[in-house]
């Protein structure tokens, strides 16, 4: 089963992704976590990605799609994955569709977490204070939200045309 969680930064994709992946028995793939690990390890992909991440910009499609292809081709990803925060653009979604079509598979479900923007900013600022993440400063947060609205929101329509979107209220406690 191939499942995606789409939502703005700070909406709880990672937290809900862990819960959902565990209940479905499939691995969770967070491109954000993978990219941060690559940055920390100083890999060539990480070095390229760091400049984009620190500015609150999306990492270019070709870098992220290759990372996802490796995951989908791995032993752990062959029978399904939960993609957390990926794809972020229609071009990335089309690339995933091509990869999955080669496996005679498709995206089965897209969970769309909806959270008020003011709450998102407060969550991200609190996370920055707690975790010290360089990509969680006010200027970067505002840029990431602009990028989300401009480039990621068209995914909602893309997946709605496929009939796989499920809208979920992302405010409140985690279990709700």
């Amino acid at each position: 089963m191939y499942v995606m969680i789409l939502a703005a930064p700070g909406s709880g994709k990672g937290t809900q992704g862990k819960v959902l992946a565990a209940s479905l028995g499939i691995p969770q793939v967070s491109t954000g976590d993978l990219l941060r690990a690559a940055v920390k390890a100083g890999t060539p992909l990480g070095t390229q990605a760091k400049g984009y991440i620190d500015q609150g910009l999306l990492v270019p499609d070709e870098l992220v799609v290759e990372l996802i292809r490796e995951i989908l081709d791995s032993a752990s990803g062959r029978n399904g994955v939960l993609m957390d925060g990926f794809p972020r653009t229609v071009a990335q979604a089309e690339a995933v569709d091509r990869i999955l079509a080669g496996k005679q598979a498709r995206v089965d479900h897209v969970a769309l977490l909806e959270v008020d923007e003011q709450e998102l900013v407060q969550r991200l600022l609190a996370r920055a204070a707690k975790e010290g993440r360089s990509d969680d400063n006010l200027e970067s947060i505002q840029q990431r939200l602009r990028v989300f609205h401009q480039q990621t929101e068209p995914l909602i329509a893309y997946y709605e045309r496929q009939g796989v979107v499920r809208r979920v209220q992302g405010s409140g406690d985690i279990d709700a």
Side-chain angles (χ1 to χ4, degrees):
M1 177 178 293
Y2 296 94
V3 179
M4 296 177 178
I5 295 182
L6 295 180
S11 61
K13 292 182 299 286
T15 300
Q16 292 301 323
K18 288 179 181 117
V19 172
L20 187 55
S23 73
L24 294 172
I26 57 177
Q28 176 190 20
V29 175
S30 165
T31 54
D33 289 347
L34 293 172
L35 286 168
R36 279 186 289 278
V39 168
K40 185 176 180 179
T43 67
L45 175 62
T47 301
Q48 289 179 291
K50 184 177 182 349
Y52 296 97
I53 292 169
D54 286 348
Q55 295 176 59
L57 300 173
L58 294 177
V59 175
D61 288 354
E62 60 272 8
L63 298 177
V64 180
V65 168
E66 283 310 309
L67 182 63
I68 293 298
R69 181 186 306 277
E70 289 177 7
I71 298 295
L72 294 175
D73 287 344
S74 72
S76 64
R78 285 195 181 115
N79 294 318
V81 297
L82 181 136
M83 292 181 231
D84 163 3
F86 182 86
R88 292 188 179 187
T89 66
V90 172
Q92 289 176 350
E94 291 169 341
V96 169
D97 286 349
R98 287 190 297 275
I99 293 167
L100 291 177
K103 301 173 179 306
Q104 289 74 48
R106 64 182 288 262
V107 173
D108 297 295
H109 301 283
V110 174
L112 175 62
L113 297 181
E114 297 179 318
V115 180
D116 177 74
E117 197 160 301
Q118 277 189 312
E119 184 176 343
L120 294 173
V121 171
Q122 292 306 310
R123 285 182 185 185
L124 290 168
L125 290 173
R127 182 172 79 182
K130 182 178 179 183
E131 298 177 15
R133 286 180 44 176
S134 64
D135 59 332
D136 281 346
N137 59 69
L138 185 57
E139 183 179 319
S140 181
I141 290 167
Q142 291 170 334
Q143 173 63 20
R144 289 163 62 202
L145 290 171
R146 281 190 296 274
V147 168
F148 172 76
H149 290 300
Q150 294 168 355
Q151 296 182 9
T152 306
E153 283 185 340
L155 284 172
I156 298 165
Y158 178 83
Y159 285 119
E160 281 181 331
R161 285 191 297 273
Q162 295 180 26
V164 296
V165 173
R166 308 294 180 263
R167 292 176 183 270
V168 178
Q169 180 51 248
S171 296
D173 72 19
I174 293 168
D175 292 334

